[in-house]
Every structure is written in structure tokens, then in C-alpha cells.
Amino acid sequence: MKTVNEVSKLTGVSIRTLQYYDKIGLLKPAEYTESGYRLYDDAALERLQQILLFRELEFPLKDIKDIVTRSDFDKRLALDQQIELLELKKEHIENLISMCRGLKLRGVRHLDFTAFDSSKLDEYAKRAKERWGNTPEYKEFEEKNGKRSKSEEKSMMADFMKIFEEFGAMKDQDPASAEVQDQVRKLQSFITEHFYKCSNEILSGLGKMYAGGGEFTENINKMGGEGTAEFTHRAIQIYCG
């Protein structure tokens, strides 16, 4: 058995996060001491490893709970996916290192953007979410998306990205200001109307994804200017508490 402090030191997950996981029923300790201290066994640590995998894939906590508690949850497949994800990240980082070394030799005028291509990671995340996305939100997205024509989808996405352009125009403001928080509310309402019901928990996860690098961050910054993705993320975190 390990105490919550030992688990925190072993995994890097904060004590507060472990306490929250217990509170929402995502990761229950094996038992509690008479004084109320949490104790974790190997099975609990295995569950925590699974949770961290899906957090890497930007799943909302509610969806992770639905996944890991399902009767058909395949632990071996989840581990295989974790290995694949780490290998892809390793390849991506090695490409960036090679690019930087090349810049030292050739100078910054040699333009090569191939190292920034995160399409493999993006595609992997997409496939993993399709495999594990047996959730009401994912099904709602599939249903709504299937009813849209190509032109409707294009128009809808243009309106969606316009929201980030508006965020970009607010970057000089305090992300906690009423105007910026209203913009977050507008984003949440748009997602609920056009994609799936966007709870604060889901929105918080999306905010982390927006600022987490890759295609999302790149496209948002294209719409609103450099730093828009990170600004949006900070505003969302304030909104979601």
C-alpha cells in the first residue's frame, strides 16, 4: 500500500488532483486508514496509469471515467496505444532536434517546416478517440456532423474560427474581464449548439488542447494572431474555475 503522498511523488500527480479524482469517483483508494488517510494498492496505480494515458489524449475527466469503468475496457489495447503515442512523440521531438541542429549549421535563413508537422500525432489522437469515444458527447457530435452538407460544414467552421479571431482582438485585455468571459460563454454555446453539449469540464479540456501545440494551436493563432490560443486557454480556465 502507498499513501497519497507516496503516490504523488511516484507519479508526479499532485495530492490535490488525487483527492479530486477520489471525490468524483474516478480513482478511489484501495482503503482509508482510521484517520481518513488514503491508501493505494497496485490496482489503483494501474488505474491511475490508464487515466494519465487518456489525459495525454486530452479526454475530459467525465469521458475517462466512462471509459475505464466500462465492462469491455481492454487494458492491453490501452497500453499498446500508450506505447504508440510515446513513440510518435519521440519521433516528433527527434525531428525538431534535427531541425535545430541543421539551423546551427545552415543558419536561420534555411527554411524547413517539416519538423513542425504534427499530423501523425493529430491522426493518432483522432483514431484513439474514435476507438474510445463511446460517450454521449461523441455520439452527439457524430449525429450532428452527419446531417451537415459540405457547404454547411464549411460555413459553420468559418463561424467557429471567427470566435477565435475575436479572442485575438481581446488579447490586450485581462482574461478575467467581463467582455472576455462573455466571449468564452459564446464559445461554449457555439460548441453546444453545433458539436455536442459542452460542460465546463469539457470546455476546460478543450482549452488545454487549444494551447497544447499542433494543428489546433496553429490554426487559432492564424486567426487571432500569435498568442491567441494561450490567451483563450487562460480565459477558459478562469471561466471554468
Side-chain angles (χ1 to χ4, degrees):
M1 291 286 189
K2 287 183 171 56
T3 66
V4 69
N5 285 293
E6 290 172 334
V7 172
S8 179
K9 290 177 181 178
L10 176 67
T11 63
V13 179
S14 71
I15 293 174
R16 179 169 295 191
T17 296
L18 291 169
Q19 291 171 339
Y20 180 67
Y21 286 174
D22 181 10
K23 180 180 178 182
I24 64 174
L26 178 60
L27 179 67
K28 304 295 290 185
E31 60 182 78
Y32 300 86
T33 67
E34 292 182 1
S35 303
Y37 291 104
R38 296 169 174 83
L39 295 175
Y40 297 84
D41 59 7
D42 288 345
L45 291 177
E46 183 182 9
R47 168 66 64 85
L48 179 58
Q49 183 183 55
Q50 295 158 2
I51 292 168
L52 295 178
L53 161 63
F54 289 110
R55 291 299 285 163
E56 281 288 323
L57 297 174
E58 302 293 347
F59 275 64
L61 291 178
K62 179 180 179 299
D63 290 358
I64 296 175
K65 182 179 177 182
D66 291 341
I67 291 168
V68 298
T69 56
R70 269 169 28 196
S71 59
D72 62 343
F73 176 60
D74 190 332
K75 295 178 182 179
R76 182 173 293 277
L77 178 58
L79 184 58
D80 287 342
Q81 288 193 323
Q82 186 176 37
I83 292 169
E84 185 179 356
L85 174 64
L86 292 172
E87 287 176 343
L88 288 170
K89 284 189 173 183
K90 176 174 177 281
E91 179 185 343
H92 186 59
I93 291 171
E94 287 176 344
N95 288 338
L96 288 172
I97 292 172
S98 296
M99 184 202 71
C100 290
R101 286 175 175 163
L103 286 175
K104 286 180 66 177
L105 294 173
R106 296 187 295 271
V108 296
R109 288 186 175 276
H110 181 82
L111 301 178
D112 181 6
F113 295 95
T114 56
F116 294 104
D117 180 14
S118 61
S119 58
K120 287 185 179 180
L121 284 173
D122 295 337
E123 176 62 22
Y124 173 75
K126 177 183 176 182
R127 286 190 287 110
K129 287 183 179 181
E130 288 173 348
R131 170 63 180 84
W132 297 108
N134 187 24
T135 62
E137 291 81 12
Y138 190 85
K139 291 177 180 178
E140 184 180 356
F141 167 75
E142 290 282 277
E143 182 180 349
K144 288 183 177 179
N145 200 48
K147 294 178 181 178
R148 279 190 282 262
S149 66
K150 288 294 183 181
S151 61
E152 288 172 336
E153 182 179 347
K154 185 175 180 181
S155 176
M156 183 269 295
M157 288 306 298
D159 291 340
F160 184 51
M161 296 310 294
K162 178 72 174 177
I163 294 175
F164 296 107
E165 183 179 1
E166 293 167 354
F167 269 114
M170 300 177 180
K171 287 202 301 283
D172 293 335
Q173 298 185 37
D174 183 342
S177 69
E179 183 179 358
V180 176
Q181 290 298 294
D182 283 343
Q183 184 71 7
V184 176
R185 193 172 293 108
K186 177 180 178 179
L187 172 64
Q188 185 179 39
S189 297
F190 189 95
I191 294 171
T192 294
E193 180 181 354
H194 297 282
F195 297 107
Y196 44 75
K197 185 177 180 181
C198 185
S199 65
N200 283 6
E201 185 177 15
I202 290 176
L203 184 63
S204 178
L206 289 173
K208 293 176 183 177
M209 183 172 64
Y210 294 158
E215 189 175 356
F216 270 111
T217 302
E218 194 176 303
N219 289 337
I220 289 171
N221 286 341
K222 281 181 181 178
M223 289 301 299
E226 194 64 33
T228 299
E230 177 59 33
F231 176 78
T232 303
H233 168 237
R234 285 189 285 124
I236 288 174
Q237 298 314 305
I238 293 169
Y239 179 87
C240 295

